[in-house]
Amino acid sequence: MAVHHLLRRGISGSSPLHPLRGLLLASQELGRRPLSSSAGDVVAELRGAREDVKQLLKTTSCHPILVRLGWHDAGTYDKNIAEWPKCGGANGSLRFEIELKHGANAGLVNALKLIQPIKDKFSGVTYADLFQLASATAIEEAGGPKIPMIYGRVDVTAPEQCPPEGRLPAAGPPSPAEHLREVFYRMGLNDKEIVALSGAHTLGRARPERSGWGKPETKYTKNGPGAPGGQSWTSQWLKFDNSYFKVVKERRDEDLLVLPTDAALFEDSSFKVYAEKYAEDQDAFFKDYAEAHAKLSNLGAKFDPPKGISLE
């Protein structure tokens, strides 16, 4: 999502945990929730998975790539297609190799490697739920707002159900504001939500070898954490706050990244209203971000039970 680049960058905090072939085979076989799982069992497993995600974040600093994983599974949603799963969205399809190889998903296999052991441990949790749980938990553990999440998403079961390539945002299109609207309006999101979600660029780095954007390293990234290098949008790129909007507005530090789609937030008159507000008021940003992230995480999802499952 614009997030575009949360996006395309592919950040990993550790080495691979499984050979790719074995990982993909496992991910394809474990798509469905066991029929024997009761609602109580699923709640317990979701809570257990959330605690294991928290521990993973502490040991690997993989917050950015987990956010990106959830966003890119959900961000393929097309509101104009009624049929599930052709509409795309948060349905676990990103675990399949064909979708992992989409250009916008470069590096995301590393995120799948990181969370596969959690999926193996908590088999009653679907990939669709785990991707969104990991994404929301990463935001919260980085100091961001509590995301009002629900669970119970159903997984697709075959690679033939993956969405076509080309539904995710690009970082440097010819008309950045127009491109953002084209992509996010297709998802059913509005200008306020576009700008709020863009604020997640406060986390993470772009890597030129994966996305074609950013410097090989800067004074903020040369020593990691995680694999060194890349260019971040903010100086404290594992802390979720409103500094992204301040950086994009001021554009004073050449070691901090500003993509064309970032700059558009202060150049487009409608986007600018929200961008200026978030640069001045972190509480307002957190409130709007939490609502937008929750909405994004539900796009295209089919829930069982139909009203979803709350962990609170």
Side-chain angles (χ1 to χ4, degrees):
M1 291 116 284
V3 226
H4 28 282
H5 230 53
L6 222 24
L7 337 160
R8 295 182 58 181
R9 58 190 172 236
I11 303 161
S12 173
S14 74
S15 60
L17 300 177
H18 295 287
L20 177 57
R21 181 179 295 274
L23 170 76
L24 292 170
L25 287 174
S27 69
Q28 293 173 18
E29 289 297 320
L30 293 171
R32 306 187 197 190
R33 181 180 298 133
L35 295 177
S36 60
S37 295
S38 68
D41 292 339
V42 173
V43 168
E45 292 212 348
L46 283 162
R47 287 176 173 159
R50 183 167 63 182
E51 291 307 309
D52 279 17
V53 168
K54 289 179 181 179
Q55 290 303 311
L56 176 67
L57 291 164
K58 289 178 181 177
T59 57
T60 65
S61 301
C62 62
H63 306 66
I65 200 170
L66 293 189
V67 174
R68 182 175 170 236
L69 179 69
W71 282 28
H72 280 214
D73 197 47
T76 59
Y77 177 64
D78 187 338
K79 69 177 183 180
N80 301 306
I81 301 175
E83 183 181 348
W84 187 91
K86 287 186 178 180
C87 59
N91 58 30
S93 64
L94 190 47
R95 73 188 189 274
F96 291 109
E97 185 174 11
I98 187 173
E99 189 169 345
L100 283 169
K101 287 185 173 180
H102 289 181
N105 293 331
L108 276 179
V109 67
N110 294 318
L112 189 61
K113 291 172 184 175
L114 286 167
I115 66 169
Q116 186 64 47
I118 300 176
K119 179 69 177 81
D120 295 342
K121 182 177 177 181
F122 300 101
S123 61
V125 177
T126 62
Y127 279 97
D129 269 353
L130 184 57
F131 292 168
Q132 301 309 322
L133 180 149
S135 182
T137 302
I139 293 290
E140 294 166 12
E141 292 296 295
K146 179 74 174 176
I147 313 294
M149 298 290 290
I150 58 171
Y151 297 99
R153 294 169 188 80
V154 176
D155 277 341
V156 297
T157 57
E160 292 76 22
Q161 295 171 308
C162 290
E165 187 164 7
R167 290 189 183 179
L168 296 172
S175 302
E178 181 180 335
H179 174 72
L180 288 175
R181 287 194 174 95
E182 179 183 352
V183 172
F184 283 89
Y185 285 10
R186 188 207 69 225
M187 297 183 210
L189 301 174
N190 60 32
D191 285 2
K192 180 174 78 170
E193 291 160 338
I194 291 171
V195 180
L197 289 172
S198 296
H201 274 166
T202 194
L203 296 179
R205 303 164 285 178
R207 293 183 179 277
E209 70 273 17
R210 292 179 181 168
S211 68
W213 293 92
K215 297 179 179 180
E217 73 171 28
T218 71
K219 61 178 177 284
Y220 302 115
T221 67
K222 64 181 180 180
N223 296 318
Q231 186 175 13
S232 59
W233 285 260
T234 62
S235 59
Q236 293 181 282
W237 48 269
L238 288 176
K239 179 182 179 182
F240 193 94
D241 56 21
N242 69 333
S243 60
Y244 162 81
F245 295 102
K246 297 177 180 179
V247 168
V248 175
K249 181 179 180 179
E250 296 171 358
R251 302 181 71 165
R252 294 176 181 172
D253 191 333
E254 291 186 355
D255 270 351
L256 297 178
L257 182 62
V258 178
L259 298 169
T261 41
D262 299 319
L265 302 183
F266 284 91
E267 294 168 353
D268 179 89
S269 59
S270 177
F271 288 160
K272 186 176 181 180
V273 172
Y274 302 107
E276 292 278 4
K277 178 181 179 181
Y278 298 153
E280 297 298 323
D281 188 340
Q282 180 167 285
D283 289 342
F285 166 52
F286 273 25
K287 176 181 180 295
D288 290 350
Y289 180 85
E291 293 174 357
H293 185 125
K295 181 175 179 179
L296 175 69
S297 76
N298 295 337
L299 295 179
K302 179 164 66 173
F303 287 93
D304 180 18
K307 293 186 178 180
I309 299 168
S310 174
L311 302 186
E312 307 312 322

